[in-house]
Amino acid sequence: MTCEIHEECGVFGVFNAKHAAELSYYALHAMQHRGQEGCGIVASDGETLRGHRNLGLVKEVFDQKQLDRLVGNNAIGHVRYATCGGSNHSNIQPFLYYHSTGDFALCHNGNIVNSRLLREMFEKAGSIFQSTSDSEILAHLITKRAYGKRTDALLEACRQLEGGFAFLVLTKDKLYAMRDRYGLRPLSLGKMGDGYVVASETCAFDVIGAEFIRDIKPGELIKITSEGIESSFYQEERLNKMCAMEYIYFSRPDSDINGINIHLSRKAAGRQLAKECPCVADIVIGVPDSSLSAANGYSEVSGLPLETGLIKNKYMGRTFIEPSQELRERGVKMKLSPIRSVVKDKRVVVIDDSIVRGTTSRQIVQMLREHGAKEVHMRIASPEMIAPCFYGVDTSTYEELISAGNSVEKVREIIGADSLGFLSKEGLLKAVGASDLCMACFDSKYPTPLFEDITKANKDGK
Ligand code: AMP
Ligand code: SF4
């Protein structure tokens, strides 16, 4: 299978705060769950941009010597998720460019759906790309407009990009933060002393002692300088379609997105699931870590005792990182272990946040049975995933999505559970409490044009 590299990542920026690189280190560490393939930081001392990036976890890539070299009070950083294909150093961000209009660095979370078209346009005009990442397109769009204000160049660049994105651009004395006009990818703004911070998730603010101000709005560009903050919008028409998967799976439970706490929204999803898909059983267990909040809610409403039935090996990465199905299956077993004394002779309700390919559920059902569970009932705190994501979340292709071609009963049979139930789409919206969300992977209603034939895109592995 050929495969596009998706940008499923976390971004962080800080302006006017001492030890900006060190603050970035801690913030990226707090967002490590958003990407484990590689990471990087670029810092500015007002004159020079210096960067370091590599494959590996934040704590592996940076040591004190590296951080000391990244001098300055301004910085941006990035953690990158490898979703497909091999690890590639050239795709690790931030990208750093030296240019006659002024040096700059950029990093990005999301996916640009018209990237192929834009890339072809630039390549035909003689441009050369350093990576396969679509983030680099922004650099070309910025430098295309060689004269005039950088803010105007960025606003114009954003107008040409379609898809989901949260972009940060650092120049020697300015920090820019931009969010797509559909509001698909999260980006929050915070304050730290006299300075400002921006991050994909608010958990990054807590760890460095920054104070949350507000979420950056869909279609907004924020410019941060020593004078303060300036806000502009690159488009009149804007939506508020935050990615539902941020609430369901991606974000950390202690983060808030659009004023909604992730743990509480997952717990509400679990409560709603108990109402929609009740079960006669002895205990409820959650799949650690992302489903523990939902299991809590399910237990609360069903009255079934919440137990710790599965233990997670903390030192494993997420199973999606494994490229082949065989490795992925082994990954689940290495990652999760049932507690025999808890599940033996019990009718167990297992709460998981989602079923994508079905690998995790199938392995869990099998492992629980091997450890003596009498019955295994799967309850999923999100709807059936029937369509791929084009906005930067690796939810796989149509062919691999187990619910795309199979009924609930057929999926139950494949994963080997005694019963299976999914949260409804209405139930999910109600649980999150948001007025609107992107739920395209559950209802195929993509908020943006996709610029390519979806079936063909999937054959290509996108
Ligand atoms: P699967 O085993 O393919 O059915 O994937 C489902 C499991 O992966 C669930 O336990 C989720 O917690 C997790 N998951 C869901 N979405 C993603 C994603 N985009 N990236 C990585 N893991 C995911
Ligand atoms: Fe999120 Fe799914 Fe929309 Fe992608 S399609 S942005 S994963 S809700």
Side-chain angles (χ1 to χ4, degrees):
M1 183 179 78
T2 56
C3 202
E4 289 266 323
I5 306 284
H6 292 245
E7 305 297 332
E8 210 170 62
C9 311
V11 295
F12 175 76
V14 49
F15 193 90
N16 196 20
K18 277 200 180 113
H19 309 298
E22 223 159 284
L23 292 173
S24 306
Y25 172 89
Y26 288 114
L28 292 180
H29 192 259
M31 293 194 293
Q32 188 78 79
H33 59 287
R34 297 184 74 86
Q36 294 116 38
E37 185 203 24
C39 58
I41 297 172
V42 170
S44 163
D45 58 1
E47 287 301 324
T48 309
L49 294 171
R50 295 177 187 85
H52 179 66
R53 57 186 184 138
N54 211 342
L55 293 166
L57 299 174
V58 177
K59 65 172 193 253
E60 295 161 355
V61 170
F62 291 96
D63 57 19
Q64 194 60 51
K65 216 169 109 202
Q66 282 296 350
L67 292 172
D68 289 344
R69 200 180 62 78
L70 304 178
V71 285
N73 291 352
N74 314 327
I76 59 171
H78 189 254
V79 284
R80 191 189 138 74
Y81 206 120
T83 54
C84 222
S87 300
N88 186 346
H89 185 277
S90 63
N91 282 322
I92 300 174
Q93 303 182 26
F95 297 132
L96 179 49
Y97 298 95
Y98 301 101
H99 198 262
S100 57
T101 58
D103 301 344
F104 65 96
L106 68 81
C107 59
H108 164 232
N109 168 218
N111 196 47
I112 309 298
V113 288
N114 58 342
S115 63
R116 278 190 206 181
L117 291 175
L118 291 168
R119 205 181 167 105
E120 264 171 40
M121 183 185 86
F122 279 116
E123 285 182 346
K124 275 188 191 144
S127 297
I128 293 171
F129 286 79
Q130 295 176 7
S131 70
T132 56
S133 164
D134 56 0
S135 316
E136 225 188 318
I137 287 164
L138 183 73
H140 287 266
L141 288 171
I142 298 171
T143 51
K144 201 171 90 171
R145 188 180 160 132
Y147 302 100
K149 284 192 183 161
R150 181 138 278 166
T151 310
D152 293 335
L154 282 168
L155 288 170
E156 202 175 298
C158 287
R159 268 177 226 122
Q160 296 189 50
L161 299 174
E162 266 305 351
F165 59 82
F167 264 112
L168 299 184
V169 172
L170 180 71
T171 66
K172 63 185 170 80
D173 56 0
K174 291 179 193 72
L175 172 62
Y176 300 88
M178 292 147 274
R179 237 184 113 197
D180 68 83
R181 69 187 178 100
Y182 305 95
L184 286 159
R185 302 263 67 92
L187 193 60
S188 301
L189 175 69
K191 183 120 189 66
M192 195 165 177
D194 295 332
Y196 291 95
V197 285
V198 282
S200 297
E201 276 190 47
T202 59
C203 65
F205 295 166
D206 298 334
V207 74
I208 56 169
E211 192 192 324
F212 170 80
I213 303 178
R214 66 173 173 89
D215 290 300
I216 295 179
K217 298 187 180 104
E220 187 176 14
L221 181 151
I222 289 209
K223 174 176 151 187
I224 310 174
T225 64
S226 49
E227 314 280 287
I229 281 187
E230 262 176 50
S231 155
S232 21
F233 289 88
Y234 72 88
Q235 273 271 2
E236 281 293 307
E237 304 91 58
R238 301 187 291 268
L239 297 173
N240 209 348
K241 295 255 176 208
M242 172 56 64
C243 164
M245 283 306 284
E246 289 283 352
Y247 291 102
I248 295 165
Y249 170 77
F250 247 134
S251 296
R252 243 170 68 158
D254 53 337
S255 289
D256 295 339
I257 297 181
N258 286 347
I260 299 162
N261 172 255
I262 302 298
H263 161 71
L264 292 179
S265 71
R266 286 181 190 162
K267 193 169 172 191
R271 279 202 213 103
Q272 181 67 22
L273 183 62
K275 286 181 202 154
E276 293 182 11
C277 308
C279 188
V280 179
D282 302 310
I283 54 169
V284 178
I285 65 170
V287 180
D289 294 322
S290 48
S291 307
L292 298 179
S293 308
N296 215 299
Y298 194 98
S299 161
E300 216 175 83
V301 166
S302 65
L304 297 172
L306 180 65
E307 263 294 0
T308 302
L310 288 165
I311 296 293
K312 185 174 170 182
N313 177 352
K314 290 195 180 72
Y315 303 101
M316 280 285 296
R318 285 182 169 182
T319 53
F320 253 52
I321 289 174
E322 308 292 359
S324 75
Q325 184 65 16
E326 193 191 331
L327 281 173
R328 215 175 274 127
E329 299 212 2
R330 198 185 314 147
V332 177
K333 283 204 167 156
M334 282 170 70
K335 198 166 89 169
L336 293 170
S337 312
I339 303 183
R340 185 182 297 275
S341 318
V342 171
V343 301
K344 191 168 180 301
D345 299 327
K346 296 275 174 24
R347 294 170 299 174
V348 183
V349 185
V350 185
I351 311 293
D352 203 355
D353 55 82
S354 54
I355 293 186
V356 184
R357 298 173 175 92
T359 318
T360 309
S361 299
R362 192 154 38 84
Q363 293 282 333
I364 286 173
V365 172
Q366 192 190 334
M367 284 193 294
L368 290 171
R369 290 203 199 283
E370 282 165 10
H371 286 73
K374 206 157 67 185
E375 290 172 20
V376 183
H377 303 272
M378 288 297 298
R379 294 292 180 271
I380 309 300
S382 62
E384 295 165 80
M385 200 177 273
I386 53 153
C389 176
F390 293 89
Y391 309 126
V393 178
D394 178 32
T395 51
S396 199
T397 61
Y398 274 118
E399 289 86 353
E400 288 179 329
L401 288 172
I402 193 168
S403 291
N406 294 303
S407 63
V408 176
E409 174 51 21
K410 184 73 191 163
V411 175
R412 182 205 64 74
E413 198 187 309
I414 297 171
I415 66 172
D418 291 288
S419 73
L420 170 65
F422 290 88
L423 183 64
S424 68
K425 294 187 271 276
E426 303 69 36
L428 174 65
L429 261 180
K430 193 168 148 194
V432 172
S435 53
D436 205 358
L437 287 176
C438 172
M439 303 227 281
C441 44
F442 308 118
D443 61 13
S444 298
K445 290 184 187 149
Y446 295 99
T448 75
L450 293 178
F451 290 90
E452 52 189 308
D453 176 356
I454 300 178
T455 4
K456 181 179 174 304
N458 276 302
K459 285 207 186 85
D460 291 349
K462 186 164 183 174

